């Protein structure tokens, strides 16, 4: 069985080679599996693409994709998944924290019949700030997204080919890969894996990038809008009740003074909630505009060891054309007809 390992690469010239070599060693121990790699350079500022280029020359099963600008981790993974040919697709990071030695555990678990398997770290070896923001993010996503409540998600995962086929149909600009998994199947499992120390450099995710990724989940849930409606209803009702109480007190005791300070505090709180809800609505409108304007999910500048057409947008059209040629038994012949067209 062919396993496609998709790795988004950013400033990983010193680690990506080791990741690939160690993963190849793991698959040499497995009798029933072989592997291919789809390495996606997300416009790194170092020589990551040169490292990928060398790996592709050395190993025929290594595919390299060089993006024209930085599109973000999840968009880079989507680019790689479009060119993964395996029956199983495995996603991992490029920094050795997702260690190749953990791969056999994913393969064993998914053979139990699951569609998707996420690796959960026994002990998270991040900074205290990243652990804190990660905990807050997981709590919010837990309540915002439609997913099995016992499942935790991570960047180390494995899925079946039919899941990949469904996920890559999404062509929106703001991608949140794990949410697309949840939208496809709930036959999901977790496994406990070791979280290794980062060997080189620091995390490429700062607060701004993490917040941008978190906000991309708004593409897949309407719960914040429903919360805006709920808050608006509650505060309107509270304001109405408060007005009635003040009116009755004034009738009973005309000497009661109306406090300016309490009025200002109330106004600040209400206007704060109002602007928060307007901001949420603005996020939805902005993401809608990006998708309506066909902002590209990714743009491939060049590729290594990729035989299929380089435009992922034509993927569905290509498959449709190949199915429509009834008397061409050889796939390569079909592709030749396609390219001539």
């Amino acid at each position: 069985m062919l396993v496609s390992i998709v790795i988004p690469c950013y400033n990983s010239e010193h680690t990506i080679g080791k990741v690939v070599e160690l993963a190849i060693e793991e698959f040499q121990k497995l009798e029933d599996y072989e592997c291919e790699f789809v390495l996606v350079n997300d416009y790194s500022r170092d020589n990551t693409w040169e490292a990928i280029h060398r790996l592709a020359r050395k190993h025929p099963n290594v595919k390299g994709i060089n993006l024209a600008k930085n599109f973000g981790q999840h968009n880079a993974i989507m680019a790689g998944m479009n060119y993964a040919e395996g029956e199983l697709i495995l996603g991992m990071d490029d920094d050795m924290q997702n260690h190749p030695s953990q791969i056999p555990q994913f393969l064993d678990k998914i053979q139990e019949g699951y569609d998707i398997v996420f690796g959960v770290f026994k002990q998270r070896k991040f900074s205290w700030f990243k652990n804190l923001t990660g905990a807050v993010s997981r709590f919010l996503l837990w309540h915002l997204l439609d997913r099995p409540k016992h499942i935790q998600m991570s960047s180390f995962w494995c899925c079946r080919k039919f899941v990949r086929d469904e996920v890559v149909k999404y062509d929106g600009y703001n991608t949140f890969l794990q949410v697309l998994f949840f939208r496809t199947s709930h036959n999901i499992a977790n496994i406990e894996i070791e979280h290794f120390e980062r060997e080189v450099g620091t995390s490429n995710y700062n607060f701004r990038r993490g917040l941008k990724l978190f906000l991309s989940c708004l593409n897949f849930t309407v719960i914040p809008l429903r919360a805006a409606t709920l808050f608006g209803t509650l505060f309107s009702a509270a304001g109405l009740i408060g007005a009635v109480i003040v009116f009755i007190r004034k009738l009973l005791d005309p000497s009661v003074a109306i406090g300016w300070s309490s009025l200002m505090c109330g106004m600040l709180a209400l206007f704060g909630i109002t602007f928060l809800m307007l901001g949420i609505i603005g996020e939805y409108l902005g993401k809608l505009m990006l998708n309506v304007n066909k902002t590209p999910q990714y743009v491939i500048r060049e590729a290594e060891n990729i035989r299929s057409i380089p435009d992922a947008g034509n993927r569905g059209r290509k498959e449709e054309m190949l199915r429509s040629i009834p008397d061409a038994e050889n796939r390569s012949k079909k592709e030749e007809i396609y390219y001539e067209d």
Side-chain angles (χ1 to χ4, degrees):
M1 181 179 290
L2 178 63
V3 180
S4 297
I5 303 176
V6 178
I7 305 178
C9 304
Y10 185 72
N11 295 343
S12 57
E13 63 171 317
H14 301 296
T15 57
I16 188 59
K18 189 173 182 179
V19 172
V20 170
E21 299 295 346
L22 288 176
I24 290 176
E25 290 179 10
E26 289 296 325
F27 275 91
Q28 289 173 346
K29 305 173 187 176
L30 304 173
E31 296 181 357
D32 300 326
Y33 297 95
E34 57 182 354
C35 67
E36 70 166 6
F37 297 85
V38 187
L39 309 180
V40 185
N41 178 41
D42 194 19
Y43 204 70
S44 299
R45 293 173 293 179
D46 61 4
N47 296 318
T48 298
W49 176 241
E50 286 74 10
I52 294 174
H53 180 79
R54 290 193 297 270
L55 288 167
R57 293 299 184 188
K58 181 179 178 181
H59 302 287
N61 62 335
V62 173
K63 299 176 180 178
I65 296 174
N66 192 24
L67 300 185
K69 75 181 190 71
N70 184 270
F71 287 89
Q73 181 186 27
H74 288 230
N75 289 34
I77 295 174
M78 287 289 282
M81 290 179 72
N82 273 283
Y83 297 96
E85 299 179 5
E87 290 300 314
L88 298 177
I89 293 85
L90 190 144
M92 60 188 298
D93 291 339
D94 59 349
D95 54 10
M96 293 293 291
Q97 289 189 295
N98 296 165
H99 203 274
S101 62
Q102 310 296 296
I103 290 175
Q105 298 183 56
F106 287 89
L107 303 181
D108 291 341
K109 191 66 176 180
I110 206 165
Q111 292 306 331
E112 295 180 11
Y114 293 102
D115 299 328
I116 305 162
V117 176
F118 287 111
V120 179
F121 300 128
K122 297 177 183 178
Q123 182 179 3
R124 295 171 61 85
K125 297 183 179 180
F126 293 124
S127 67
W128 68 269
F129 181 74
K130 188 168 183 180
N131 283 331
L132 175 62
T133 55
V136 173
S137 175
R138 288 193 299 274
F139 175 80
L140 293 175
L141 291 175
W142 186 281
H143 294 85
L144 289 177
L145 302 179
D146 176 26
R147 64 169 179 168
K149 296 304 180 184
H150 63 285
I151 292 298
Q152 298 184 48
M153 56 187 181
S154 73
S155 60
F156 204 175
W157 50 265
C158 185
C159 73
R160 296 186 182 274
K161 186 175 185 295
F162 85 89
V163 176
R164 188 290 307 264
D165 292 342
E166 185 64 31
V167 166
V168 297
K169 292 178 182 178
Y170 178 77
D171 60 357
Y173 174 72
N174 291 281
T175 304
F176 202 121
L177 190 66
Q178 285 80 359
V179 180
L180 295 175
F181 284 153
F182 296 143
R183 196 168 68 172
T184 303
S185 173
H186 278 186
N187 184 25
I188 308 172
N190 281 141
I191 59 172
E192 277 198 348
I193 59 175
E194 295 291 339
H195 192 198
F196 288 70
E197 294 282 359
R198 182 184 298 272
E199 293 197 356
V200 178
T202 58
S203 174
N204 293 311
Y205 267 105
N206 54 28
F207 179 77
R208 181 180 61 83
R209 289 175 177 170
L211 180 62
K212 181 180 179 181
L213 175 61
F214 173 78
L215 290 176
S216 66
C217 76
L218 295 181
N219 281 10
F220 309 96
T221 178
V222 296
I223 291 178
L225 292 176
R226 293 173 181 170
T229 302
L230 175 63
F231 277 116
T233 302
L234 290 177
F235 278 97
S236 297
L240 178 62
I241 293 171
V244 172
I245 292 174
V246 170
F247 180 71
I248 293 175
R249 289 186 63 191
K250 190 67 174 176
L251 289 178
L252 296 177
D253 185 5
S255 64
V256 172
I258 305 299
W260 181 86
S261 299
S262 59
L263 177 62
M264 289 298 103
C265 291
M267 290 182 63
L268 287 174
L270 291 175
F271 278 114
I273 293 294
T274 300
F275 281 113
L276 173 63
M277 299 310 166
L278 287 175
I280 292 174
I281 295 172
E283 282 288 333
Y284 276 98
L285 291 176
K287 294 179 186 304
L288 181 63
M289 292 262 316
L290 289 172
N291 288 330
V292 168
N293 290 335
K294 298 298 181 182
T295 303
Q297 194 177 80
Y298 58 87
V299 176
I300 296 177
R301 185 174 184 270
E302 55 185 317
E304 288 282 348
N305 292 342
I306 301 271
R307 293 186 298 273
S308 58
I309 58 175
D311 182 5
N314 288 332
R315 183 173 183 272
R317 177 173 176 266
K318 175 185 178 182
E319 292 176 349
E320 180 181 353
M321 291 186 64
L322 296 183
R323 288 194 298 266
S324 68
I325 305 175
D327 57 345
E329 297 180 356
N330 188 301
R331 181 174 177 84
S332 62
K333 178 62 176 175
K334 294 181 182 182
E335 292 186 349
E336 181 181 340
I337 296 173
Y338 173 83
Y339 283 117
E340 288 177 357
D341 176 77

